[in-house]
Amino acid sequence: MKRHHQHRAPAPLPKFWRPKLAESTKVEAKLVHRDLLERISQGGATFAVLLDWMETGTTYSRMMWLLQQDGEPLTEEAAQAVNAQLELYEPVCARWARWGKVQLTQPELEIALQAAQVFDQLLEIDRNGIAVEAAHWSMKEMLKFRQIRPG
């Protein structure tokens, strides 16, 4: 007789026991985001790169929200930069759907670069597992887009 074992996810750690990101992870996150922006700005990005860029921005947006909920005072300018990037997703996706090409206009690239500066700062003030929580949330949110098949 076979036994079915239930595998439970471990209980979440108390808030103050959750680690912040390692320095190497912060550096890698910054490099990956810059690489995504470069590939999109040069016009050679694939649909998968577009989704990765969107997921990255969604993660940082959630991270910003979680930090604010945790009492971190963030500037209105930082919030505006992040929100401006989120507003780019619809027109960029529409161009991809129409032309099959992922590319940012010069004003869109400037918005994305401003948001990237905020994202880098958010990584530096991460605490209590907020970045990891934001990443998990963003991955779930992006599942619906990742199921779209280009073409």
Side-chain angles (χ1 to χ4, degrees):
M1 180 172 167
K2 285 187 177 181
R3 290 187 179 194
H4 295 299
H5 296 280
Q6 285 185 319
H7 295 282
R8 290 190 213 167
L13 292 172
K15 173 182 165 179
F16 296 106
W17 289 12
R18 296 179 207 150
K20 60 184 176 179
L21 292 177
E23 287 302 315
S24 61
T25 304
K26 290 179 193 179
V27 169
E28 187 172 342
K30 292 173 186 179
L31 291 173
V32 165
H33 188 76
R34 298 289 177 177
D35 179 61
L36 292 169
L37 269 178
E38 185 175 320
R39 291 166 70 187
I40 291 171
S41 69
Q42 293 175 352
T46 63
F47 184 66
V49 170
L50 172 61
L51 292 179
D52 287 344
W53 176 65
M54 291 172 59
E55 184 175 275
T56 301
T58 303
T59 299
Y60 287 117
S61 172
R62 183 65 172 191
M63 188 176 173
M64 176 177 264
W65 183 82
L66 290 169
L67 284 164
Q68 288 173 319
Q69 296 304 303
D70 198 48
E72 182 68 38
L74 299 170
T75 67
E76 184 62 32
E77 292 81 13
Q80 289 172 354
V82 172
N83 288 331
Q85 175 161 320
L86 296 178
E87 291 174 8
L88 294 180
Y89 297 162
E90 188 174 333
V92 172
C93 287
R95 281 197 302 274
W96 172 81
R98 189 172 37 239
W99 300 324
K101 188 174 184 180
V102 179
Q103 191 167 9
L104 298 175
T105 65
Q106 188 59 39
E108 289 170 339
L109 178 59
E110 290 170 15
I111 289 169
L113 289 171
Q114 287 176 344
Q117 290 177 353
V118 173
F119 299 163
D120 289 353
Q121 293 168 0
L122 291 174
L123 287 170
E124 295 305 320
I125 59 174
D126 175 48
R127 61 177 178 265
N128 303 330
I130 285 176
V132 172
E133 182 179 340
H136 286 293
W137 180 87
S138 178
M139 289 170 59
K140 287 179 189 173
E141 288 295 304
M142 290 298 297
L143 277 177
K144 59 188 167 219
F145 295 104
R146 292 203 178 275
Q147 292 174 3
I148 297 171
R149 297 290 174 236

